[in-house]
């Protein structure tokens, strides 16, 4: 979540054409109203999915092995609990959190400090492609083709925190950009959590300071899920391997609360007819459950 030097990066693979989201169009996340200022429009690749709980997992780019492992375990555990994992698509903690969610077929959103068609850092080209292929999303308020620059990351961070129902800081030095996200979360009224660390580890200085200032202490996904009032293990691993792209996108959009087929189609970026056919296919596979009124929720698989 730290700021990075300017670099245009490379273009991400054209898995999904970008969409423009504006307040009031039904796909624009309502929680972004608490961002200061709320973006007038967003560019989206992939799917934000049906309404679900979201948790931001953030931390230093130059993290240590413990930080990467903790972020990956948080990503896995939160995704298994039906939570969408939000982060900034950066090196270190961000990447590990996204990877953890992907490992269990979960939903993850990368909020970028560049255009959604740009890979920054360039080494994350494959990660961003896998987020899209897994039914997740790349989101930015910047225009397509916009390069990453130092000023874009603090602005990006306000969207990361505003999207989330809680923000978890894993590893952060005393001047880490993740602490900007933490301050923004506090200003937005978003609950702030932190992973405690060894007092002699400079990368634990940020989380430990946040804990002294009143952040909630967490050591794993179970603590975060309990804070949100969710049961650990409420969602089994999500079987995405081998599914066609429409089914993958819809599986990422399905949640525990039934949603109408048309709403799911919009969330997945599909035509209504194609979405309904894919939903019926998921239903036959036990991955979706149909309710009265052409509403669907995630199945038990």
């Amino acid at each position: 979540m730290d700021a990075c030097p300017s670099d245009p990066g490379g273009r991400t693979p054209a898995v999904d054409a970008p969409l423009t989201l504006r307040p009031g169009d039904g796909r624009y996340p309502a929680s972004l109203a608490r961002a200061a200022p709320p973006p007038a429009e967003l560019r989206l690749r992939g799917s934000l999915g049906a309404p679900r709980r979201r948790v931001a997992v953030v931390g230093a780019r130059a993290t240590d092995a413990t930080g990467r492992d903790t972020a990956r375990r948080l990503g896995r555990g939160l995704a298994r609990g039906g939570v969408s994992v939000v982060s900034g698509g950066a090196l270190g903690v961000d990447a590990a959190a996204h990877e953890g969610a992907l490992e269990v077929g979960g939903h993850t959103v990368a909020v970028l400090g560049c255009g959604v068609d740009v890979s920054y850092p360039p080494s994350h080209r494959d990660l961003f492609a896998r987020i899209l292929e897994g039914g997740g999303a790349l989101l930015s308020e910047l225009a397509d083709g916009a390069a990453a620059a130092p000023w874009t990351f603090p602005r990006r961070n306000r969207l990361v925190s505003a999207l989330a129902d809680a923000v978890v800081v894993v590893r952060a030095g005393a001047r880490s950009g993740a602490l900007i996200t933490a301050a923004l979360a506090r200003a937005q009224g978003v609950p702030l959590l932190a992973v405690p660390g060894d007092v002699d580890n400079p990368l634990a200085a940020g989380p430990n300071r946040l804990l002294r200032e009143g952040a909630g202490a967490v050591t794993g996904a179970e603590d975060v899920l309990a804070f949100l009032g969710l049961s650990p293990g409420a969602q089994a691993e999500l079987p995405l391997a081998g599914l066609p792209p429409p089914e993958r996108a819809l599986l990422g959009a399905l949640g525990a609360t039934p949603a109408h087929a048309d709403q799911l189609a919009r969330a997945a970026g599909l035509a209504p007819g194609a979405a309904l056919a894919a939903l019926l296919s998921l239903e036959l596979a036990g991955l979706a459950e149909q309710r009265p009124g052409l509403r669907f929720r995630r199945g038990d698989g």
Side-chain angles (χ1 to χ4, degrees):
M1 189 58 62
D2 291 337
C4 311
S6 177
D7 186 325
R11 295 301 175 95
T12 56
V15 177
D16 294 86
L19 300 173
T20 299
L21 310 184
R22 297 184 178 90
D25 73 0
R27 292 174 298 186
Y28 185 99
S31 66
L32 290 184
R34 60 192 174 203
E41 68 177 39
L42 296 165
R43 292 291 279 170
L44 168 72
R45 291 181 69 193
S47 172
L48 288 172
R52 70 176 79 215
R53 307 301 290 273
R54 298 188 183 107
V55 170
V57 179
V58 301
R61 284 187 302 123
T63 191
D64 54 14
T66 299
R68 284 189 294 272
D69 181 63
T70 300
R72 189 180 294 269
R73 286 189 291 106
L74 282 167
R76 285 198 300 259
L78 291 169
R80 286 194 181 109
V83 171
S84 178
V85 177
V86 179
S87 200
L91 296 166
V93 166
D94 289 20
H98 292 306
E99 292 277 5
L102 292 172
E103 285 172 4
V104 297
H107 189 270
T108 186
V109 179
V111 186
L112 305 181
C114 56
V116 293
D117 60 340
V118 175
S119 293
Y120 189 88
S123 59
H124 281 180
R125 179 183 176 89
D126 177 66
L127 172 62
F128 295 157
R130 286 187 291 118
I131 288 173
L132 295 175
E133 290 164 0
L138 306 180
L139 191 67
S140 177
E141 66 178 326
L142 300 176
D144 296 353
W151 66 268
T152 66
F153 293 97
R155 288 183 61 86
R156 180 274 313 271
N157 292 355
R158 86 189 196 286
L159 303 184
V160 171
S161 55
L163 272 176
D165 294 294
V167 171
V168 182
V169 180
V170 176
R171 279 285 198 258
R175 300 182 64 184
S176 171
L179 298 182
I180 297 176
T181 309
L184 290 164
R186 280 200 176 111
Q188 294 163 354
V190 177
L192 184 59
L193 309 172
V195 178
D198 187 335
V199 294
D200 293 323
N201 184 344
L203 287 168
N208 287 344
R209 191 191 87 193
L210 295 174
L211 292 169
R212 291 194 301 273
E213 293 172 350
V218 297
T219 58
E222 296 82 0
D223 297 333
V224 183
L225 293 171
F227 178 85
L228 295 174
L230 302 174
S231 300
Q235 179 173 327
E237 292 191 12
L238 310 179
L240 292 174
L243 287 178
E247 279 86 343
R248 285 203 302 268
L250 283 163
L251 191 58
L254 287 165
T257 302
H260 193 274
D262 289 347
Q263 179 185 357
L264 294 168
R266 289 193 298 272
L270 298 172
L276 184 57
L279 285 166
L280 294 175
S281 176
L282 290 172
E283 184 181 12
L284 288 173
L287 300 176
E289 179 183 330
Q290 186 172 174
R291 295 295 180 88
L294 211 60
R295 296 179 305 134
F296 292 81
R297 65 181 294 277
R298 188 180 292 280
D300 295 329

